[in-house]
Structures are given as structure tokens and as C-alpha cells.
Amino acid sequence: MLNFDEKRFLAIQSGAVATAGELDAIVGAALKAGAPNIFFLGTGGAAILMQPAVDLLRARSSFPVFGGHTAELLAAGSANLKQGSLVILPSLSGTTKESVAFVELAKERGAEVVSLVGHADTPLGRDADHAIVNFAADDTSSESFYVQSLFAALSVMKHRGEIDNYDALVAEIQHLPRELLRLKKAVEPKAEDYAKVIAGSDWHIVCGAGNVWYEAFYYGMCILEEMQWIRTRPIHAGDFFHGTLELVEKGVSVILMKGEGPNRALAERVEAFVPKVGGSLTILDTEDYPTEGLSAEARELLAPAFLATMLERISAHLEVMRDHPLTTRRYYRRVEY
């Protein structure tokens, strides 16, 4: 595979799935101590990656859960951030300015902060009440963060008696590193063609529904815009027909990401419409890629990680094709803003 280190990838994702027990112990202790709620926060793309866990708890648990951006909470505050609140806070570098500042606010309110970081010896690694450390880089962090936040959400439901197959799901997810590698190998022969589609247009509508909507949003904003300087319009499939459809005409590129479960129906509406008006439709569908050792329920929960790992292969070809390394920036962390 192009520019890919298999051993490195497996080590990072194995580190992610190994955090299940540590996260379960932290969440269980917090709920036993009377935690009133849980926050999944972050800055920029890291905040987006937490949202599937938020939606899972909103749909399947009665425990109060909140998501959002640290910068917004720093600016406006939250009446729900209080004594005993449990905060899950990812930052790959452990140095993200807004997230570091938020730890101080959280502690002032009596909240308990769990940081998800790539390095222990960083402000978030040192200052959080608990630091879950799993080294990763930009090309591997999405899967790692998706999995760790999923473990935290499943643990909440376990300790509240809202799920009866926690142990089975966590056991299945231990197979994930191997299955992600299988996905990469399966998509590699098609990755260059997908990259040609992306390189061939000045802008793209990037669409998804359910938990994979967040990967669509993340990929459009953090990879295509930040790392490739390609304009995108990320849009949830449920909102596509409330404005964005009017942008579609002959030649307009629509990249549709399809996950698993009931929200596929929202994506399928977009899939049916775009060709009718001459749009150029490209589909990435997790159902096209079988796995071993993962139930339908586990696959649905892990669909954002599936897409992240598939898209990394496309990005590897895209940066070579466009002679634009994914590490190239003009402004991000290079100028004051």
C-alpha cells in the first residue's frame, strides 16, 4: 500500500482498543460517585470525532449527555458543567489552546476531566484528572478517538443497566485493528480512482447521515480543506433537501458516505436524487466491505472508524497526485489568529 506502515498502524489501533478497561473503570467510579452528566468535548476536528458517542447516548440512554466545542463553553459557559460532571476531552497533541484552558474551568466547577492524548508529558496529559495515552498521528487518530469515545459511552450504559451485551461488544471491538487493516487493503485498489475524483473538482458537497455524518464533516473540513485546500460543503443528508440540493447541477461533485443501520435511508434519498439532476455522485459505503468477528450492531457503531480508515488510503494517493503533502499549512498553527 502507498506510503503505509502496517506495523505502526496496528500498534496504534491496538493501543486504542486496549483502553476499554481503563475507561470503564473511570466511568464506573464517576457514576458510582454520583456524576450528574457527561460531556464529550474537544476543539476543531477532535470535537467532531466525539459526536457519535454523544448521539449514541442520546438515543439509547437517559443519562444526560452534552457535546460541543471547548471554545464556545469558555465563551458562554454552561449551567450543566457542575460538581461531578465527567468530561471526555481529546487532543492528539495535548496542547490545544482552548482545550487546555477548558481544563482549568472544568476543575473550578468541580468536574472530572478525562483527556485522550497522544503524549503524557503535555499540558492535557499532566493537568487532566485522568490521561488516557495512546500515541497516534493525524493519519491514525480518527479511529483511535472514535473507539475510545465509544468505549466511554458504552460504559455509561453498562453501569446504568441500559445495555446487556457490553462485554460481548468490547470483546468484538478487540478485533478492530485487524479488520481495519483488511479494509485498507480492500480499498487500496480503488483509492487512486477516488483520489482522481477529488482532485478533479474545485469543490465538493460532502454528505452523510447517522454516525457517519461526522466522518463526512470531519473529512471535508480537516482533510480536504485544512490539509488539501480544497473547498467543500459538508451537509447532513437530512438537511440536503433544505437548501443544498439547489447547488447540484451538471458536473457538481457530491461525495456521499453511507454507514449502517436505519439512517442509511437518509443517505439513499440523496443517492437517488443527485444523478437525476446531472450531479457527479461518488459513494463510499461501509456495507461494501465485509468484516470477520464483528456483529451487525458492532459494525453500525464502528462505521465512522471504517470510513476514516478507508479515507486515509484515498488521502495518501491524493497528496501524491496533487503534489500537496497533508502536512502543508499556510495558517494553521503558523500565524496568530
Side-chain angles (χ1 to χ4, degrees):
M1 287 188 281
L2 177 67
N3 295 337
F4 180 69
D5 185 332
E6 182 174 317
K7 290 183 178 179
R8 169 181 170 272
F9 177 76
L10 287 174
I12 290 168
Q13 303 312 328
S14 295
V17 300
T19 63
E22 189 176 2
L23 283 162
D24 185 46
I26 293 168
V27 171
L31 266 62
K32 185 176 181 180
N37 52 41
I38 186 169
F39 284 74
F40 289 87
L41 301 175
T43 301
I48 297 171
L49 299 174
M50 296 294 102
Q51 283 302 122
V54 174
D55 285 0
L56 176 63
L57 286 177
R58 284 175 176 164
R60 296 179 55 180
S61 174
S62 60
F63 191 63
V65 57
F66 302 93
H69 296 269
T70 52
E72 191 168 63
L73 288 176
L74 285 168
S78 170
N80 294 295
L81 183 65
K82 60 183 73 172
Q83 183 70 37
S85 291
L86 185 61
V87 178
I88 309 295
L89 189 60
S91 170
L92 185 61
S93 69
T95 63
T96 310
K97 181 173 64 175
E98 297 91 339
S99 295
V100 171
F102 183 81
V103 173
E104 183 177 348
L105 172 64
K107 289 188 171 183
E108 288 175 359
R109 297 284 186 89
E112 185 176 0
V113 179
V114 182
S115 65
L116 309 177
V117 294
H119 305 277
D121 190 18
T122 57
L124 281 177
R126 294 189 298 265
D127 296 344
D129 297 287
H130 312 276
I132 308 296
V133 183
N134 183 47
F135 169 78
D138 285 338
D139 61 333
T140 53
S141 62
S142 294
E143 299 97 325
S144 180
F145 283 153
Y146 278 136
V147 168
Q148 290 176 83
S149 58
L150 173 60
F151 283 149
L154 291 173
S155 181
V156 168
M157 292 191 287
K158 166 193 168 181
H159 290 285
R160 289 175 53 81
E162 295 170 327
I163 188 172
D164 59 8
N165 61 338
Y166 170 88
D167 290 336
L169 282 171
V170 169
E172 287 184 57
I173 295 170
Q174 300 308 304
H175 299 297
L176 184 62
R178 177 195 71 199
E179 295 307 306
L180 291 178
L181 180 60
R182 281 163 51 89
L183 282 174
K184 284 189 183 294
K185 291 179 177 179
V187 81
E188 179 70 15
K190 311 171 188 177
E192 185 175 3
D193 288 338
Y194 282 123
K196 286 178 180 177
V197 170
I198 296 172
S201 181
D202 291 336
W203 73 285
H204 303 270
I205 296 170
V206 186
C207 191
N211 58 5
V212 301
W213 150 240
Y214 299 106
E215 182 56 26
F217 185 12
Y218 178 89
Y219 191 71
M221 184 179 84
C222 295
I223 309 302
L224 297 187
E225 291 183 342
E226 178 189 323
M227 299 184 185
Q228 287 292 291
W229 309 348
I230 296 173
R231 293 172 177 84
T232 70
R233 169 64 164 112
I235 184 72
H236 190 287
D239 292 329
F240 180 88
F241 293 99
H242 300 275
T244 307
L245 80 167
E246 292 294 342
L247 298 177
V248 183
E249 58 187 0
K250 185 176 181 179
V252 170
S253 172
V254 179
I255 300 172
L256 179 64
M257 300 186 192
K258 297 176 68 176
E260 304 184 24
N263 285 300
R264 281 178 66 88
L266 300 178
E268 286 166 351
R269 287 183 69 204
V270 176
E271 182 179 5
F273 174 80
V274 171
K276 292 179 181 178
V277 295
S280 175
L281 181 65
T282 303
I283 298 174
L284 280 166
D285 188 348
T286 63
E287 283 197 352
D288 289 341
Y289 299 89
T291 53
E292 296 179 1
L294 295 175
S295 63
E297 181 181 8
R299 282 184 57 98
E300 181 180 345
L301 293 171
L302 293 167
F306 290 175
L307 278 169
T309 219
M310 293 156 58
L311 286 162
E312 182 276 328
R313 288 290 77 215
I314 297 169
S315 299
H317 286 266
L318 184 64
E319 67 173 343
V320 172
M321 187 178 298
R322 301 185 72 241
D323 192 22
H324 186 126
L326 294 167
T327 53
T328 301
R329 305 287 188 279
R330 287 180 292 195
Y331 314 121
Y332 181 66
R333 293 200 174 201
R334 281 165 167 70
V335 300
E336 291 295 324
Y337 46 81

